[in-house]
Protein backbone atom coordinates (compact mmCIF):
# COMPACT_ATOMS: atom_id res chain seq x y z
CA UNK A 1 0.00 0.00 0.00
CA UNK A 2 1.02 3.61 -0.53
CA UNK A 3 0.47 6.24 2.15
CA UNK A 4 -0.36 9.54 0.46
CA UNK A 5 -1.36 11.93 3.19
CA UNK A 6 -1.40 12.66 6.88
CA UNK A 7 -4.77 13.11 8.62
CA UNK A 8 -4.21 16.85 8.90
CA UNK A 9 -4.53 17.26 5.11
CA UNK A 10 -8.32 17.13 5.31
CA UNK A 11 -9.60 20.12 7.25
CA UNK A 12 -11.86 19.36 10.18
CA UNK A 13 -14.91 21.12 8.71
CA UNK A 14 -14.51 19.22 5.44
CA UNK A 15 -14.11 15.92 7.27
CA UNK A 16 -17.23 16.64 9.31
CA UNK A 17 -19.15 17.18 6.07
CA UNK A 18 -17.75 13.92 4.72
CA UNK A 19 -18.93 12.13 7.86
CA UNK A 20 -22.45 13.44 7.30
CA UNK A 21 -22.48 12.04 3.77
CA UNK A 22 -21.20 8.70 5.07
CA UNK A 23 -24.10 8.69 7.50
CA UNK A 24 -26.46 9.62 4.68
CA UNK A 25 -25.31 6.63 2.61
CA UNK A 26 -25.56 4.23 5.58
CA UNK A 27 -29.05 5.41 6.56
CA UNK A 28 -30.20 5.53 2.93
CA UNK A 29 -29.09 1.95 2.32
CA UNK A 30 -30.82 0.69 5.45
CA UNK A 31 -34.04 2.41 4.39
CA UNK A 32 -33.71 1.16 0.79
CA UNK A 33 -33.54 -2.41 2.05
CA UNK A 34 -36.64 -1.83 4.18
CA UNK A 35 -38.55 -0.30 1.26
CA UNK A 36 -37.45 -3.13 -1.05
CA UNK A 37 -38.86 -5.71 1.37
CA UNK A 38 -42.13 -3.73 1.38
CA UNK A 39 -42.21 -4.04 -2.44
CA UNK A 40 -41.85 -0.29 -2.97
CA UNK A 41 -38.66 -0.98 -4.94
CA UNK A 42 -38.64 -3.49 -7.81
CA UNK A 43 -35.93 -5.26 -9.76
CA UNK A 44 -32.46 -5.59 -8.29
CA UNK A 45 -31.06 -3.60 -5.39
CA UNK A 46 -27.35 -3.76 -4.50
CA UNK A 47 -26.35 -2.12 -1.23
CA UNK A 48 -22.95 -0.79 -0.22
CA UNK A 49 -23.13 -0.50 3.59
CA UNK A 50 -19.54 -0.70 4.83
CA UNK A 51 -18.06 0.95 1.73
CA UNK A 52 -18.88 4.57 2.61
CA UNK A 53 -15.28 5.75 2.98
CA UNK A 54 -14.47 4.73 -0.59
CA UNK A 55 -17.60 6.42 -1.95
CA UNK A 56 -17.14 9.74 -0.15
CA UNK A 57 -13.33 9.85 -0.24
CA UNK A 58 -13.17 9.44 -4.01
CA UNK A 59 -16.03 11.82 -4.79
CA UNK A 60 -14.49 14.59 -2.69
CA UNK A 61 -11.30 14.25 -4.72
CA UNK A 62 -13.12 15.02 -7.99
CA UNK A 63 -13.63 18.50 -9.43
CA UNK A 64 -16.94 19.69 -10.82
CA UNK A 65 -15.52 19.20 -14.34
CA UNK A 66 -14.46 15.60 -13.81
CA UNK A 67 -16.71 12.81 -15.07
CA UNK A 68 -17.95 9.76 -13.19
CA UNK A 69 -19.07 6.35 -14.45
CA UNK A 70 -19.92 3.47 -12.10
CA UNK A 71 -21.18 -0.09 -12.01
CA UNK A 72 -24.51 -1.06 -10.52
CA UNK A 73 -23.67 -0.76 -6.79
CA UNK A 74 -24.00 2.97 -7.18
CA UNK A 75 -26.31 4.49 -4.52
CA UNK A 76 -23.36 5.59 -2.39
CA UNK A 77 -21.45 7.17 -5.26
CA UNK A 78 -24.54 9.06 -6.45
CA UNK A 79 -25.22 10.46 -2.98
CA UNK A 80 -21.56 11.32 -2.43
CA UNK A 81 -21.55 13.13 -5.82
CA UNK A 82 -24.44 15.24 -4.44
CA UNK A 83 -27.26 13.77 -6.48
CA UNK A 84 -30.21 14.68 -4.19
CA UNK A 85 -31.35 11.83 -1.95
CA UNK A 86 -34.94 12.61 -2.95
CA UNK A 87 -34.15 11.93 -6.63
CA UNK A 88 -32.15 8.78 -5.88
CA UNK A 89 -34.95 7.31 -3.76
CA UNK A 90 -37.57 8.29 -6.36
CA UNK A 91 -35.49 6.48 -8.97
CA UNK A 92 -35.42 3.35 -6.83
CA UNK A 93 -39.21 3.63 -6.56
CA UNK A 94 -39.44 3.93 -10.37
CA UNK A 95 -41.07 7.36 -10.17
CA UNK A 96 -41.00 10.17 -12.69
CA UNK A 97 -39.04 12.51 -10.39
CA UNK A 98 -36.15 10.05 -10.15
CA UNK A 99 -32.73 11.04 -11.41
CA UNK A 100 -33.30 8.81 -14.50
CA UNK A 101 -36.99 9.75 -14.71
CA UNK A 102 -37.91 6.41 -13.18
CA UNK A 103 -36.63 4.38 -16.15
CA UNK A 104 -33.37 3.16 -14.67
CA UNK A 105 -34.04 1.98 -11.15
CA UNK A 106 -31.33 1.01 -8.71
CA UNK A 107 -28.70 -0.06 -11.24
CA UNK A 108 -28.95 2.87 -13.66
CA UNK A 109 -28.70 6.08 -11.66
CA UNK A 110 -27.29 9.11 -13.46
CA UNK A 111 -27.07 12.90 -13.42
CA UNK A 112 -25.23 14.37 -16.42
CA UNK A 113 -25.45 17.88 -14.91
CA UNK A 114 -23.16 16.62 -12.13
CA UNK A 115 -20.89 14.81 -14.57
CA UNK A 116 -22.31 11.44 -13.57
CA UNK A 117 -22.75 9.36 -16.71
CA UNK A 118 -24.43 6.44 -15.16
CA UNK A 119 -24.46 3.34 -13.14
CA UNK A 120 -24.22 0.43 -15.59
CA UNK A 121 -26.00 -2.84 -14.91
CA UNK A 122 -23.93 -5.07 -17.20
CA UNK A 123 -20.73 -6.20 -15.48
CA UNK A 124 -17.85 -4.34 -17.12
CA UNK A 125 -20.21 -2.42 -19.41
CA UNK A 126 -19.08 0.90 -17.98
CA UNK A 127 -15.43 0.39 -18.99
CA UNK A 128 -15.66 1.18 -22.73
CA UNK A 129 -18.02 4.10 -22.02
CA UNK A 130 -15.68 5.64 -19.45
CA UNK A 131 -12.64 5.13 -21.69
CA UNK A 132 -14.51 6.79 -24.55
CA UNK A 133 -15.39 9.74 -22.32
CA UNK A 134 -11.70 10.14 -21.48
CA UNK A 135 -10.87 10.19 -25.19
CA UNK A 136 -13.55 12.86 -25.68
CA UNK A 137 -11.98 15.02 -22.95
CA UNK A 138 -8.64 14.90 -24.79
CA UNK A 139 -10.15 15.76 -28.16
CA UNK A 140 -12.13 18.62 -26.64
CA UNK A 141 -8.98 19.81 -24.82
CA UNK A 142 -10.83 19.91 -21.50
CA UNK A 143 -8.65 19.91 -18.34
CA UNK A 144 -10.59 17.16 -16.59
CA UNK A 145 -10.43 13.43 -15.89
CA UNK A 146 -12.75 10.43 -15.68
CA UNK A 147 -13.19 8.23 -12.62
CA UNK A 148 -14.46 4.79 -13.66
CA UNK A 149 -15.66 2.63 -10.77
CA UNK A 150 -15.95 -1.13 -11.03
CA UNK A 151 -16.04 -4.09 -8.67
CA UNK A 152 -13.46 -6.82 -8.23
CA UNK A 153 -15.73 -9.20 -10.15
CA UNK A 154 -15.35 -7.12 -13.33
CA UNK A 155 -11.58 -7.25 -13.68
CA UNK A 156 -11.59 -10.58 -15.50
CA UNK A 157 -13.79 -9.25 -18.31
CA UNK A 158 -12.31 -8.68 -21.73
CA UNK A 159 -13.51 -5.08 -21.65
CA UNK A 160 -11.22 -4.44 -18.67
CA UNK A 161 -8.06 -5.46 -20.53
CA UNK A 162 -9.12 -3.75 -23.75
CA UNK A 163 -9.91 -0.49 -21.95
CA UNK A 164 -6.64 -0.41 -20.02
CA UNK A 165 -4.69 -1.15 -23.19
CA UNK A 166 -6.26 1.73 -25.11
CA UNK A 167 -6.10 4.13 -22.16
CA UNK A 168 -2.36 3.61 -21.80
CA UNK A 169 -1.67 3.52 -25.53
CA UNK A 170 -3.59 6.74 -26.17
CA UNK A 171 -2.57 8.56 -22.97
CA UNK A 172 -6.10 9.04 -21.65
CA UNK A 173 -6.99 10.95 -18.45
CA UNK A 174 -8.77 8.22 -16.53
CA UNK A 175 -8.51 6.49 -13.16
CA UNK A 176 -10.01 3.00 -12.91
CA UNK A 177 -11.24 2.60 -9.33
CA UNK A 178 -11.53 -1.08 -8.40
CA UNK A 179 -13.71 -1.40 -5.31
CA UNK A 180 -12.48 -4.72 -3.95
CA UNK A 181 -15.03 -5.87 -1.37
CA UNK A 182 -13.56 -9.39 -1.61
CA UNK A 183 -16.59 -11.01 -3.26
CA UNK A 184 -17.85 -10.95 -6.85
CA UNK A 185 -21.38 -12.05 -6.05
CA UNK A 186 -20.59 -15.11 -3.85
CA UNK A 187 -17.12 -15.94 -5.18
CA UNK A 188 -14.07 -14.60 -3.38
CA UNK A 189 -11.41 -12.76 -5.34
CA UNK A 190 -8.88 -15.39 -4.27
CA UNK A 191 -10.92 -18.07 -6.07
CA UNK A 192 -11.71 -15.96 -9.15
CA UNK A 193 -8.44 -14.19 -9.95
CA UNK A 194 -5.07 -15.73 -10.79
CA UNK A 195 -3.58 -12.42 -9.60
CA UNK A 196 -5.72 -11.38 -6.62
CA UNK A 197 -3.63 -8.25 -6.01
CA UNK A 198 -5.68 -6.54 -8.67
CA UNK A 199 -3.71 -3.28 -8.82
CA UNK A 200 -0.73 -5.19 -10.24
CA UNK A 201 -2.58 -5.71 -13.51
CA UNK A 202 -2.01 -2.06 -14.31
CA UNK A 203 1.72 -2.72 -14.64
CA UNK A 204 1.17 -4.98 -17.65
CA UNK A 205 -0.18 -1.89 -19.40
CA UNK A 206 2.64 0.38 -18.17
CA UNK A 207 0.44 2.49 -15.97
CA UNK A 208 0.47 3.22 -12.24
CA UNK A 209 -1.36 0.72 -10.04
CA UNK A 210 -1.90 1.24 -6.31
CA UNK A 211 -3.71 -0.54 -3.50
CA UNK A 212 -5.12 1.40 -0.56
CA UNK A 213 -7.21 0.84 2.55
CA UNK A 214 -10.66 1.69 1.23
CA UNK A 215 -12.04 2.08 4.75
CA UNK A 216 -9.58 4.89 5.56
CA UNK A 217 -11.23 7.97 4.10
CA UNK A 218 -8.12 10.12 4.33
CA UNK A 219 -6.01 7.60 2.45
CA UNK A 220 -8.75 7.18 -0.16
CA UNK A 221 -9.05 10.94 -0.63
CA UNK A 222 -5.29 11.50 -0.90
CA UNK A 223 -4.63 8.67 -3.37
CA UNK A 224 -7.58 9.60 -5.59
CA UNK A 225 -6.60 13.29 -5.58
CA UNK A 226 -3.05 12.52 -6.70
CA UNK A 227 -4.00 10.09 -9.45
CA UNK A 228 -6.76 12.31 -10.83
CA UNK A 229 -4.39 15.30 -10.86
CA UNK A 230 -1.81 13.25 -12.79
CA UNK A 231 -4.53 12.22 -15.22
CA UNK A 232 -5.56 15.86 -15.74
CA UNK A 233 -2.01 17.23 -16.05
CA UNK A 234 -0.20 14.47 -17.92
CA UNK A 235 -3.01 12.40 -19.43
CA UNK A 236 -1.78 9.23 -17.80
CA UNK A 237 -4.28 6.57 -16.71
CA UNK A 238 -4.03 4.61 -13.45
CA UNK A 239 -5.62 1.79 -11.49
CA UNK A 240 -6.58 2.39 -7.86
CA UNK A 241 -7.65 -0.67 -5.88
CA UNK A 242 -9.60 0.14 -2.70
CA UNK A 243 -9.84 -2.73 -0.22
CA UNK A 244 -13.16 -2.63 1.60
CA UNK A 245 -16.08 -4.86 2.57
CA UNK A 246 -19.84 -4.95 2.11
CA UNK A 247 -21.89 -5.87 5.14
CA UNK A 248 -24.89 -7.02 3.11
CA UNK A 249 -25.16 -9.77 0.53
CA UNK A 250 -24.53 -9.23 -3.17
CA UNK A 251 -28.08 -7.90 -3.51
CA UNK A 252 -31.03 -7.54 -1.15
CA UNK A 253 -32.18 -10.98 -2.31
CA UNK A 254 -28.91 -12.54 -1.06
CA UNK A 255 -28.49 -13.13 2.68
CA UNK A 256 -24.74 -13.20 2.13
CA UNK A 257 -24.15 -16.03 4.57
CA UNK A 258 -23.75 -19.04 2.27
CA UNK A 259 -20.20 -18.06 1.28
CA UNK A 260 -19.02 -16.28 4.45
CA UNK A 261 -19.82 -16.52 8.15
CA UNK A 262 -21.01 -14.03 10.73
CA UNK A 263 -17.60 -13.89 12.40
CA UNK A 264 -16.05 -12.55 9.20
CA UNK A 265 -18.70 -9.86 8.91
CA UNK A 266 -18.29 -8.93 12.57
CA UNK A 267 -14.53 -8.69 12.15
CA UNK A 268 -14.93 -6.10 9.41
CA UNK A 269 -17.63 -4.20 11.29
CA UNK A 270 -15.16 -3.69 14.12
CA UNK A 271 -13.13 -1.59 11.65
CA UNK A 272 -16.21 0.30 10.49
CA UNK A 273 -15.25 3.34 8.37
CA UNK A 274 -17.80 5.63 10.01
CA UNK A 275 -16.50 4.80 13.48
CA UNK A 276 -12.98 5.54 12.26
CA UNK A 277 -13.92 9.02 11.03
CA UNK A 278 -15.77 9.75 14.27
CA UNK A 279 -12.66 8.72 16.16
CA UNK A 280 -10.44 11.06 14.12
CA UNK A 281 -12.83 13.97 14.67
CA UNK A 282 -13.11 13.25 18.38
CA UNK A 283 -9.33 13.32 18.67
CA UNK A 284 -9.42 16.77 17.04
CA UNK A 285 -11.81 18.01 19.71
CA UNK A 286 -15.16 17.79 17.90
CA UNK A 287 -17.90 17.20 20.49
CA UNK A 288 -20.12 14.12 20.37
CA UNK A 289 -23.17 16.41 20.00
CA UNK A 290 -21.83 17.69 16.64
CA UNK A 291 -21.13 14.16 15.44
CA UNK A 292 -24.59 12.95 16.47
CA UNK A 293 -26.17 15.99 14.80
CA UNK A 294 -24.58 14.95 11.48
CA UNK A 295 -26.26 11.56 11.81
CA UNK A 296 -29.61 13.14 12.71
CA UNK A 297 -29.51 15.42 9.65
CA UNK A 298 -28.76 12.40 7.48
CA UNK A 299 -31.74 10.54 8.91
CA UNK A 300 -33.97 13.55 8.22
CA UNK A 301 -32.80 13.62 4.59
CA UNK A 302 -33.65 9.94 4.19
CA UNK A 303 -37.11 10.39 5.70
CA UNK A 304 -37.71 13.33 3.34
CA UNK A 305 -36.50 11.22 0.40
CA UNK A 306 -39.03 8.46 1.14
CA UNK A 307 -41.86 10.97 1.46
CA UNK A 308 -40.81 12.62 -1.82
CA UNK A 309 -40.59 9.29 -3.66
CA UNK A 310 -43.96 8.14 -2.36
CA UNK A 311 -45.60 11.36 -3.61
CA UNK A 312 -43.98 11.25 -7.04
CA UNK A 313 -46.18 9.73 -9.80
CA UNK A 314 -45.23 6.80 -11.98
CA UNK A 315 -44.06 7.69 -15.54
CA UNK A 316 -46.92 7.82 -18.08
CA UNK A 317 -47.19 4.50 -19.89
CA UNK A 318 -46.79 6.01 -23.36
CA UNK A 319 -43.55 7.76 -22.28
CA UNK A 320 -41.69 4.66 -21.15
CA UNK A 321 -39.28 4.95 -24.09
CA UNK A 322 -38.83 8.72 -23.69
CA UNK A 323 -35.19 9.62 -23.25
CA UNK A 324 -34.03 6.07 -23.91
CA UNK A 325 -32.93 6.48 -27.55
CA UNK A 326 -31.32 9.15 -29.71
CA UNK A 327 -33.47 11.60 -31.64
CA UNK A 328 -34.61 10.13 -34.97
CA UNK A 329 -34.05 6.53 -33.95
CA UNK A 330 -37.81 5.92 -33.72
CA UNK A 331 -37.71 4.90 -37.41
CA UNK A 332 -36.18 1.59 -36.40
CA UNK A 333 -39.36 0.78 -34.54
CA UNK A 334 -41.51 0.91 -37.69
CA UNK A 335 -41.19 -2.84 -38.15
CA UNK A 336 -42.59 -3.31 -34.67
CA UNK A 337 -45.75 -1.27 -35.30
CA UNK A 338 -49.12 -3.03 -35.14
CA UNK A 339 -50.01 -4.26 -38.65
CA UNK A 340 -46.42 -4.73 -39.83
CA UNK A 341 -45.28 -8.33 -40.64
CA UNK A 342 -43.50 -8.74 -37.33
CA UNK A 343 -45.36 -6.05 -35.45
CA UNK A 344 -46.47 -6.12 -31.87
CA UNK A 345 -50.16 -6.01 -31.01
CA UNK A 346 -49.59 -2.77 -29.12
CA UNK A 347 -46.81 -0.20 -28.75
CA UNK A 348 -46.54 2.48 -26.10
CA UNK A 349 -44.16 4.85 -27.89
CA UNK A 350 -46.77 7.43 -28.86
CA UNK A 351 -45.10 10.16 -26.80
CA UNK A 352 -41.93 9.77 -28.84
CA UNK A 353 -38.38 9.06 -27.79
CA UNK A 354 -37.43 12.50 -26.53
CA UNK A 355 -34.70 14.93 -27.54
Amino acid sequence: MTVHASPAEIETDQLLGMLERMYLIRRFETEAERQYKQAKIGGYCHLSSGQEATCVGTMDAMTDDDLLVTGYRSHGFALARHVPATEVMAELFGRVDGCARGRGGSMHLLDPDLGYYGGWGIVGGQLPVATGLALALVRQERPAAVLCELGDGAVNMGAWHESLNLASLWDLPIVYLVVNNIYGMGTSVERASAEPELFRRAHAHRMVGERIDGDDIEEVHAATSELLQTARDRHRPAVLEALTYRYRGHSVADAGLSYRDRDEIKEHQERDPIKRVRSVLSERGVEDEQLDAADERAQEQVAEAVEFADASPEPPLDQLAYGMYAKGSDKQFARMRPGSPFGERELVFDAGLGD
Side-chain angles (χ1 to χ4, degrees), residues 24 63 155 297 312:
L24 174 61
T63 67
V155 299
R297 287 193 294 273
S312 177

Side-chain angles (χ1 to χ4, degrees), residues 8 18 26 28 32 39 47 64 79 110 125 129 160 167 174 188 192 202 207 222 226 263 276 288 307 316 344 347:
M18 295 167 85
R26 180 71 60 86
F28 186 97
L47 306 178
D64 291 343
L79 294 168
L110 84 161
V129 175
W160 159 260
I174 182 168
S188 73
M207 66 174 70
E226 287 187 19
D263 288 341
R276 290 169 69 167
D288 283 345
E307 186 176 353
E344 303 289 338
L347 282 180

